[in-house]
Amino acid sequence: MSLLSARLGHTSLILSTGLAVWLILVFGSGLATYLNYTNFQRSHAALVQSRMHVVAMDLQQQIVANLDLGLRLDQIYDLARMVLHSVAEDPDIVGAGIHDTSGLRLIDTDSNVPPEVPSTWIVSPHQMKGHWHLSQAEYHVYGMPLFNSFNVPIGTLTVRYDRAVDEPVEAMLVMLFRNLLLTAFCFAILIIVGLTLLKRRFFRHLVDLTQRTVILPPSMTVQDHSVPAKSPLALRMEALVNTCDSIESRLRQVADGHGKPQILASEVAGAVSKAPPAAPLQDQQQNQVDSSTDENAAWRELNRGLRLLVALGLLMVLFAAAAVSTLAWLEFRERFEPQLHQKIDTLGQSLARSLERLHAQGIPLDRLKGVTTYFDHLREENPELAYVAIVKERGSSLEMRRSGSDYSNDSEEAAGDLLLHKSGAFPEQAWRYLQDAPLDGSHQDSRHEEARLLILKNFIDRTILLRAVDGSVVARLHLGQDRRFVDRMVREVWWDLGTVLLVILLITFELMLFVMNSRIRGPISAILSLSNQIRNGDFSQRLMVHGTDEIGRLSAALNASLDRINDFFQRMRDASRNNPDLRAAVVYLEQRVKFADSASATTVVGDRLAIIRWPFFLFIFAESLSLSFFPLFVEQLYTPMSGVPQGLAIGLPISLFMLVWALSLPPGGFWSDQVGRKRAFLTGAVIASIGLLMTAFSQGILDLMLWRSLTAVGYGLVFITVQGYVVDHSLPTQRARAMAMFLAVFFGGSLCGAAIGGIVSERIGFAPVFLISAGLGMLAALFVGRYISRSPANPSRKTEKLRVRNVLTLARNRRFLAMTIFNAIPAKMALTGFLFFAMPLYLKSLGLSPGDIGRVMMSYGLAMILLSPLVGLLADIWGRRHYFVLTGGLLAALAIMLITLQPGPIASVLSILLLGAAHAIGISPQLALVMEWSKEEIAEIGPGTVMGIFRLLERIGNVLGPIIISLLIAALGFSGAFTVFSVYLLISMLLFAGILFFYRKSYAVTETAKERS
């Protein structure tokens, strides 16, 4: 091999890892770019649609006024003029029309359109609750239903506007894409520099390892000794290679009939005993040296380097996403404000025409009734509108009240001026300007000759002259645009971006961990574990090969060597039937070495728990994409059902999913024990993906319930399988930590899925999101199929199907029963009843928007993600897991009681945070404690069945929580309901503590009696 090819081979693992990290970082930045784009697109579309709403509402009010006189649509004589006039109200409107409920056009500004509207414009009567919007190739369509005086739908008016309004969005997309390319280039430079620096300090062991194992001929002899092996890990691998080569060489001699079998067999056994042990290493130039300290230090150093690489990757993604977001919203302000000016102008012109029509009908402006109330309603619908006022002649300070330094609030009148109607505080600066402002049209806006702008510190005052029929000015209409509205909007968007950044960091973190574990840490750990197995005389295991880099080629070569070793031994065994000396050698080896061919060999894997994280996260992420919009999706499919209220019908698929999920856990745990975790995960993921796929094509609630039930079966099977996998591959002393990891991954996937799904659904609709979910579910199955090894056979594992006697067996375990009734069920009631059901309603009653409610609710998941791993670690270190469970339960009661002591948004945030912390403390060690307390039952009915029964029983709290909380709220209100529920949680924890105390006391007495006997 040439020096150049050797160098390329030496660095292929590091280069491929660097490429994988670069792709992950670009993916994270791309996700941030997409989410920024969708945020801007959503805000821009809402603003443009609100402009069209003003025009459509004005036209609708004119039509309704005629309908209230008893006229039909075809009897309104000036209907065509009304529609034509609406088109002139906004320069971006290209057409308008009216069609009946069957889709037949009654009138349209474009005479060349077909007589019937497209089928997508026809809305069924039970869906005609408000406006709708469609995007087509030539234009956008904004529709609004028309009802007669009996509230019967009779048609729809539509406003078509030019797609040129999307130019700011397209310009934003170009800018974001350009920034993404620049970010990707910067990432490449930073990764090259970072890997170069890390290679010298942390990854020298990896470099040495890849250099020593770059070429492996069939004999497994290391050829490249020109590169000094400085790393203990590399020496360990080289010693393993040489051991396999030595054993293979001797077995080949015996199998080929050369040499004395017994001598060669003893040499094989000696080579096995001299294989690289768990602690000491073989030094090829010295005698055996105990270098376990060096090897452990090298392993820790490599792990520190990997963790540092993950941390640097997260920092780079965070910085890039923040930079992209900042640039995006600076651009947003520049492009958003002109659209906002246009909306205020359209609103003002529409309002001015309505006032002028009333004045033309002989109604003086100063005698109009309900104008202030209408203005107040107008400002509520348009929060960017700070004030609306009608000023006769030069205005007046009449009825003005002081509300701050920016406003004129004195009660004195300015001579000759009169304020007719107003809503909101009129700014003093505008008032002083109007004292001297002429009515000759100076300072006019270029778009409308009757309007002019006044730029103030915090407002933009738009003045529109109201004229009589003879053209004389009778009053001025003032609309004040709040310049701080965009600032408030940007601040709200930054909260959204904070959510987006959190989601991006979580996804990037899981991907980075997966890459580091699957490509470097896991394979090296597996090779070291195989070395220990060979030291113990076990040649029955093989390595999983994940790639063609140096570690992958080393793993493949070791597997091939082990296959040849087992093949040579099988040839020895076959030839020993007629050869006593050879037979004695075979017996000698069988007593000291374990052989197995490739078909019956088991797979040795490094860190199994680290490998399962990403597939499980991806699966939960896929299923959670619909969490934020699923009720809305069900509402779309709703059709009136005889005897079933709409609210109940919409809730049925959700309730059925929870029920089927709970019922699937016990049989799923039993089946997972029987067939192995890998097969169970694959089966569950495929079933869930099929259910998600068919959900996208649901035509009604009944078939939706069927497919959601199928999804729940797969979801429950994966959920209980991963729990069993965690239990299988974690030591009892580390089980709480492992279950904390399980919970953190679960809530991380749920949080990310719900956030991303809501954003994506606004772009592509609800049904396509389910298609994406199905694809991601299958992708999770592919990861498991490739990276998770087949579970080893365990004939000694006792498994039982779910039977009543199994439940009764566990019910005789007092600690299990106390845990279930007084801890697990109340915890689930607090989760579903208080957090998921009551808190959204309570926060809405406080005036919080849906976005604010979502951000507040996220604090629970954040507390779970951040605290669960730490709590699991402390529970394993300190032991006494029941103290953690008790503490978590007491904190949960305190969290709910906190709202009753100090109601309000801040207390709500603290309450939810404290509840998340309480569940992180109490739930993380929960399953580990159940498994510890149920050892006898596990031996009798199996771990999967025990876990399934426990999860089934605790799901009773999921069902009862919303029902009980809703009844309490109806009877006592929010404060009373929360007080009663917190007292219930407190009493449950006190009973749980009392049962544990008396059980431990009786257990101590029993143990003392046994010792005396």
Side-chain angles (χ1 to χ4, degrees):
M1 173 178 285
S2 66
L3 180 62
L4 175 61
S5 60
R7 290 294 181 187
L8 291 175
H10 293 165
T11 58
S12 63
L13 176 62
I14 296 178
L15 285 178
S16 59
T17 302
L19 178 61
V21 171
W22 180 79
L23 290 174
I24 292 172
L25 299 184
V26 172
F27 168 77
S29 299
L31 186 59
T33 299
Y34 173 76
L35 295 178
N36 275 292
Y37 168 72
T38 56
N39 269 332
F40 176 76
Q41 192 275 338
R42 182 175 64 249
S43 300
H44 179 270
L47 181 60
V48 174
Q49 289 176 31
S50 65
R51 282 171 49 195
M52 300 305 111
H53 178 77
V54 171
V55 176
M57 181 64 72
D58 183 37
L59 180 58
Q60 183 195 49
Q61 290 175 351
Q62 297 180 56
I63 295 174
V64 169
N66 287 271
L67 294 176
D68 289 341
L69 298 176
L71 300 176
R72 299 192 306 270
L73 283 174
D74 55 357
Q75 292 177 331
I76 302 176
Y77 76 95
D78 59 346
L79 182 60
R81 181 193 59 80
M82 295 180 189
V83 176
L84 285 171
H85 195 61
S86 67
V87 176
E89 290 188 12
D90 193 296
D92 291 320
I93 296 178
V94 296
I98 299 175
H99 63 266
D100 59 20
T101 54
S102 65
L104 182 64
R105 294 185 193 268
L106 302 178
I107 193 171
D108 198 280
T109 56
D110 186 355
S111 59
N112 296 323
V113 295
E116 294 184 356
V117 299
S119 58
T120 54
W121 294 20
I122 302 175
V123 183
S124 58
H126 75 274
Q127 293 178 323
M128 297 184 71
K129 301 175 183 178
H131 62 268
W132 50 265
H133 175 265
L134 291 173
S135 295
Q136 297 189 333
E138 302 85 5
Y139 44 72
H140 298 289
V141 183
Y142 186 91
M144 184 173 290
L146 296 173
F147 298 88
N148 61 17
S149 56
F150 300 101
N151 203 32
V152 176
I154 58 175
T156 302
L157 67 88
T158 57
V159 176
R160 305 186 296 275
Y161 56 102
D162 198 346
R163 292 192 68 97
V165 298
D166 296 334
E167 290 180 358
V169 178
E170 296 170 357
M172 173 69 78
L173 180 60
V174 172
M175 188 272 292
L176 289 172
F177 184 73
R178 183 176 64 248
N179 291 341
L180 178 61
L181 293 179
L182 179 62
T183 301
F185 176 76
C186 293
F187 278 158
I189 301 298
L190 291 174
I191 288 174
I192 292 173
V193 174
L195 286 177
T196 302
L197 296 176
L198 290 175
K199 184 172 69 173
R200 296 177 181 177
R201 176 67 179 89
F202 295 103
F203 293 159
R204 62 186 181 87
H205 309 285
L206 188 60
V207 174
D208 289 342
L209 188 152
T210 55
Q211 289 174 340
R212 297 290 293 179
T213 59
V214 60
I215 311 171
L216 290 171
S219 65
M220 290 293 295
T221 302
V222 177
Q223 300 291 330
D224 188 4
H225 292 285
S226 61
V227 180
K230 299 178 181 180
S231 169
L233 295 178
L235 288 173
R236 175 81 171 273
M237 304 249 178
E238 183 177 343
L240 174 62
V241 169
N242 290 334
T243 297
C244 291
D245 180 68
S246 175
I247 294 171
E248 181 184 340
S249 175
R250 287 165 174 78
L251 288 178
R252 181 188 293 110
Q253 294 180 39
V254 177
D256 293 341
H258 304 299
K260 296 182 179 181
Q262 292 183 348
I263 295 176
L264 293 174
S266 64
E267 291 178 353
V268 169
V272 169
S273 64
K274 294 179 181 179
L281 299 172
Q282 292 286 352
D283 191 299
Q284 299 300 320
Q285 300 175 354
Q286 302 178 5
N287 295 327
Q288 182 174 330
V289 178
D290 185 1
S291 54
S292 58
T293 303
D294 294 336
E295 180 180 320
N296 292 334
W299 181 246
R300 289 194 300 269
E301 191 172 343
L302 178 61
N303 280 298
R304 282 198 301 271
L306 295 177
R307 286 193 293 268
L308 183 58
L309 183 59
V310 172
L312 290 176
L314 293 178
L315 286 176
M316 284 192 288
V317 166
L318 179 62
F319 175 78
V324 167
S325 301
T326 302
L327 294 175
W329 289 102
L330 289 175
E331 186 80 7
F332 165 81
R333 175 187 291 275
E334 180 181 345
R335 298 183 181 278
F336 190 78
E337 286 186 332
Q339 295 290 334
L340 195 59
H341 299 333
Q342 179 62 46
K343 176 186 175 180
I344 296 296
D345 182 67
T346 301
L347 182 62
Q349 296 297 330
S350 175
L351 185 57
R353 275 187 290 271
S354 298
L355 293 171
E356 288 176 346
R357 282 197 299 268
L358 292 173
H359 187 271
Q361 294 173 5
I363 305 176
L365 295 180
D366 58 348
R367 295 185 181 181
L368 291 175
K369 302 297 182 181
V371 176
T372 301
T373 302
Y374 176 73
F375 284 176
D376 290 339
H377 176 71
L378 200 64
R379 290 176 56 240
E380 289 179 5
E381 287 190 341
N382 303 274
E384 68 276 7
L385 197 59
Y387 60 86
V388 184
I390 301 176
V391 179
K392 186 177 181 180
E393 296 182 350
R394 296 194 178 276
S396 170
S397 58
L398 186 64
E399 299 181 355
M400 292 188 178
R401 293 180 295 275
R402 183 171 299 279
S403 59
S405 59
D406 287 343
Y407 304 99
S408 175
N409 302 300
D410 298 331
S411 299
E412 59 183 349
E413 285 190 33
D417 294 337
L418 181 64
L419 180 67
L420 301 180
H421 306 281
K422 82 175 185 70
S423 174
F426 206 55
E428 181 182 6
Q429 292 173 301
W431 189 257
R432 291 176 178 174
Y433 172 80
L434 293 174
Q435 299 295 320
D436 303 320
L439 292 176
D440 57 2
S442 60
H443 303 284
Q444 291 175 353
D445 181 83
S446 59
R447 185 180 295 274
H448 293 284
E449 61 179 9
E450 295 297 316
R452 59 186 167 196
L453 293 175
L454 175 62
I455 308 296
L456 306 175
K457 177 181 179 181
N458 294 322
F459 305 96
I460 298 178
D461 183 87
R462 179 173 294 275
T463 304
I464 301 177
L465 305 180
L466 302 179
R467 298 183 181 274
V469 177
D470 59 2
S472 61
V473 177
V474 295
R476 305 180 186 185
L477 174 64
H478 291 268
L479 293 94
Q481 176 187 332
D482 191 349
R483 300 184 69 184
R484 294 164 297 185
F485 171 76
V486 178
D487 296 329
R488 292 195 299 268
M489 190 172 185
V490 170
R491 283 196 297 269
E492 292 179 0
V493 167
W494 274 110
W495 281 106
D496 290 336
L497 292 178
T499 304
V500 167
L501 291 178
L502 173 64
V503 169
I504 292 170
L505 288 178
L506 287 175
I507 295 176
T508 304
F509 175 72
E510 293 295 338
L511 274 172
M512 291 281 287
L513 279 185
F514 177 75
V515 169
M516 297 300 111
N517 283 297
S518 63
R519 297 190 60 82
I520 299 177
R521 189 177 182 277
I524 294 177
S525 176
I527 294 175
L528 298 179
S529 178
L530 179 66
S531 175
N532 293 335
Q533 297 297 328
I534 292 177
R535 167 74 178 179
N536 296 326
D538 188 354
F539 287 83
S540 64
Q541 300 199 29
R542 304 292 187 272
L543 296 166
M544 293 189 72
V545 180
H546 297 309
T548 58
D549 53 31
E550 292 85 355
I551 294 181
R553 295 200 299 273
L554 173 60
S555 299
L558 285 171
N559 284 344
S561 179
L562 290 172
D563 287 340
R564 290 192 294 271
I565 288 173
N566 283 276
D567 182 63
F568 290 147
F569 178 75
Q570 184 62 42
R571 289 167 55 186
M572 286 176 57
R573 179 183 293 171
D574 295 340
S576 66
R577 298 171 183 174
N578 301 322
N579 188 332
D581 292 339
L582 192 57
R583 178 60 183 168
V586 169
V587 173
Y588 178 83
L589 287 176
E590 286 180 333
Q591 293 174 349
R592 291 164 175 79
V593 182
K594 180 181 180 181
F595 295 95
D597 57 20
S598 58
S600 58
T602 57
T603 303
V604 58
V605 180
D607 191 347
R608 294 176 183 267
L609 294 183
I611 295 298
I612 197 64
R613 285 185 63 123
W614 172 247
F616 184 54
F617 177 91
L618 186 61
F619 178 82
I620 297 300
F621 176 87
E623 209 287 325
S624 301
L625 284 174
S626 60
L627 282 180
S628 60
F629 65 80
F630 187 75
L632 304 178
F633 175 70
V634 180
E635 188 177 20
Q636 280 188 349
L637 301 177
Y638 171 76
T639 54
M641 304 171 65
S642 177
V644 181
Q646 180 177 356
L648 178 61
I650 293 174
L652 282 176
I654 302 174
S655 301
L656 184 61
F657 180 90
M658 297 297 296
L659 177 62
V660 174
W661 178 29
L663 294 177
S664 69
L665 294 177
F670 166 78
W671 192 70
S672 177
D673 286 344
Q674 291 290 311
V675 304
R677 308 304 183 193
K678 180 176 182 178
R679 181 179 173 187
F681 191 109
L682 292 174
T683 304
V686 170
I687 292 174
S689 298
I690 293 174
L692 291 167
L693 176 66
M694 299 309 298
T695 298
F697 299 101
S698 297
Q699 300 298 315
I701 290 183
L702 293 180
D703 58 331
L704 175 65
M705 292 170 62
L706 171 64
W707 302 126
R708 290 303 289 168
S709 299
L710 183 65
T711 305
V713 171
Y715 187 74
L717 182 56
V718 170
F719 184 86
I720 199 67
T721 295
V722 175
Q723 279 196 346
Y725 185 94
V726 171
V727 171
D728 291 345
H729 301 293
S730 59
L731 298 175
T733 57
Q734 299 176 343
R735 192 154 291 157
R737 194 184 323 172
M739 292 311 302
M741 179 273 291
F742 169 82
L743 288 175
V745 173
F746 177 82
F747 282 103
S750 299
L751 188 151
C752 295
I756 297 297
I759 295 173
V760 173
S761 65
E762 292 181 345
R763 289 288 301 163
I764 63 176
F766 297 148
V769 174
F770 287 102
L771 298 179
I772 296 175
S773 297
L776 293 177
M778 292 301 298
L779 187 60
L782 291 177
F783 277 114
V784 168
R786 177 168 176 78
Y787 290 100
I788 302 298
S789 62
R790 180 172 53 89
S791 300
N794 190 359
S796 63
R797 173 181 288 169
K798 179 70 176 179
T799 56
E800 286 278 348
K801 293 182 179 180
L802 178 62
R803 296 186 177 93
V804 175
R805 65 179 179 87
N806 293 338
V807 180
L808 296 177
T809 298
L810 284 170
R812 289 194 293 269
N813 186 329
R814 286 179 291 176
R815 291 189 292 183
F816 176 89
L817 198 61
M819 171 72 80
T820 304
I821 296 176
F822 298 117
N823 183 268
I825 290 178
K828 292 302 179 185
M829 291 176 65
L831 179 66
T832 60
F834 172 75
L835 182 65
F836 292 160
F837 177 78
M839 283 308 296
L841 300 176
Y842 176 71
L843 293 172
K844 183 180 180 181
S845 71
L846 297 178
L848 271 68
S849 66
D852 293 332
I853 293 174
R855 285 189 285 270
V856 171
M857 298 285 287
M858 278 183 59
S859 57
Y860 175 86
L862 285 178
M864 288 291 296
I865 293 170
L866 295 176
L867 293 181
S868 289
L870 176 61
V871 170
L873 176 63
L874 295 177
D876 286 335
I877 293 176
W878 293 345
R880 302 182 181 275
R881 298 186 178 106
H882 55 283
Y883 288 149
F884 287 87
V885 174
L886 285 171
T887 302
L890 294 174
L891 287 177
L894 177 62
I896 298 176
M897 192 175 296
L898 182 63
I899 296 185
T900 65
L901 300 177
Q902 186 66 38
I906 296 178
S908 301
V909 174
L910 295 177
S911 175
I912 294 176
L913 273 173
L914 186 57
L915 182 65
H919 283 179
I921 295 171
I923 295 180
S924 298
Q926 194 180 75
L927 186 60
L929 201 57
V930 168
M931 304 304 286
E932 179 183 333
W933 286 350
S934 307
K935 293 179 180 178
E936 295 180 1
E937 290 78 12
I938 289 175
E940 181 179 350
I941 62 178
T945 305
V946 170
M947 285 188 298
I949 293 175
F950 175 71
R951 291 307 187 194
L952 173 63
L953 294 177
E954 75 170 351
R955 290 301 183 275
I956 295 174
N958 284 21
V959 178
L960 293 179
I963 298 174
I964 293 176
I965 288 290
S966 62
L967 294 176
L968 289 175
I969 292 174
L972 305 173
F974 285 110
S975 180
F978 294 159
T979 301
V980 171
F981 193 71
S982 62
V983 171
Y984 160 71
L985 292 181
L986 180 61
I987 293 174
S988 296
M989 287 303 103
L990 293 177
L991 291 174
F992 181 56
I995 292 173
L996 290 186
F997 174 77
F998 286 110
Y999 179 84
R1000 288 173 62 83
K1001 186 176 180 179
S1002 63
Y1003 180 79
V1005 171
T1006 303
E1007 290 297 315
T1008 303
K1010 288 181 179 179
E1011 292 177 0
R1012 291 178 178 176
S1013 62

